[in-house]
Amino acid sequence: MPSIARLTVYPVKSCDGVDHTQVELLPNGGLRHDRQFALVDPAGKFINGKRTPLMHQLALSVDPLARDYRVGRRGEPQSLAGNLDRDGKPLSDWLSDFFSLEVSIVENDETGFPDDLDASGPTIVSTATLKTVADWFPGMTVEEVRGRFRANIEIDGVEPFWEDHLFGADSQPKPFRIGSALLGGTNPCQRCVVPTRDPITGTVGPAGFSQQFRKLREQTLPAWAARDRFDHFYRLCTNTRRLDQVPATLHLGDWIELAT
């Protein structure tokens, strides 16, 4: 039976994730504290991994409850620590210096800042899928693949690409349950430039990553998958949206089953 093996929340958009044993599901379908904070420029545009590989060198963690932060360059001693409410300006100044651009940190504790506003629920992938993708690239580890694709929910007890069961042949959300929550799978997630980079260093590689990924994703697409939903094959993980408003908390070990 498919079940949740990992629950990951990314408190700051494009920064490192934090694993949890349980997470509240928000009314919009997102996970509590996921992408609650984001970095923006003076025009309000996101500073994220799509925009600059410098994000990979940034070690910024925020505790959404205590509202404490720690920031520095990845692999170097911590540069600054403080509290968002008391010490917000020193953090903005440090980030502005790091990016050579005026930077502010913004917050939305009701919906977060999801990439897909029409499918703002958690992204889902299976452990078997991550292992398969790692095997496509010699020397790549499952943990590295996990860092490249940054899913919220990882499921175990299934075959590779089982998460492709969670969307249908058209754009209508395909209902399924995780624990007591009713979600709808919408589409296979279109990937950006971020997975082509090493998640720690930001270095592009291996060479031809996206081309090789597309080729092998097409070759290994399960026969039962909704092939017409792939206008291209640089897609991995399933996007979701919430289909009910019943209070729900997801837990490690919760079963996942298609609704009937």
Side-chain angles (χ1 to χ4, degrees), residues 179-213:
S180 61
L182 182 64
L183 298 174
T186 59
N187 59 284
C189 183
Q190 177 172 275
R191 310 314 307 201
C192 64
V193 67
V194 171
T196 68
R197 305 188 195 122
D198 183 292
I200 302 300
T201 66
T203 303
V204 174
F209 177 89
S210 60
Q211 293 84 353
Q212 178 76 345
F213 182 95

Side-chain angles (χ1 to χ4, degrees), residues 9 16 40 64 165 218 224 226:
V9 166
D16 291 344
V40 296
H165 278 293
E218 182 175 14
W224 43 258

Side-chain angles (χ1 to χ4, degrees), residues 15 39-40 47-49 51-58 60 71 73 92-104:
C15 291
L39 307 182
V40 296
I47 300 169
N48 55 24
R51 180 169 173 177
T52 172
L54 274 175
M55 288 300 304
H56 297 276
Q57 299 175 34
L58 177 66
L60 171 60
V71 67
R73 286 184 176 271
S92 293
D93 290 345
W94 191 97
L95 291 167
S96 298
D97 182 67
F98 179 82
F99 287 105
S100 299
L101 173 71
E102 186 178 340
V103 177
S104 300

Side-chain angles (χ1 to χ4, degrees), residues 149-167:
F149 290 96
R150 299 168 59 83
N152 293 119
I153 296 177
E154 191 173 315
I155 56 178
D156 209 350
V158 294
E159 64 190 292
F161 310 110
W162 184 91
E163 63 276 6
D164 290 348
H165 278 293
L166 300 179
F167 57 85

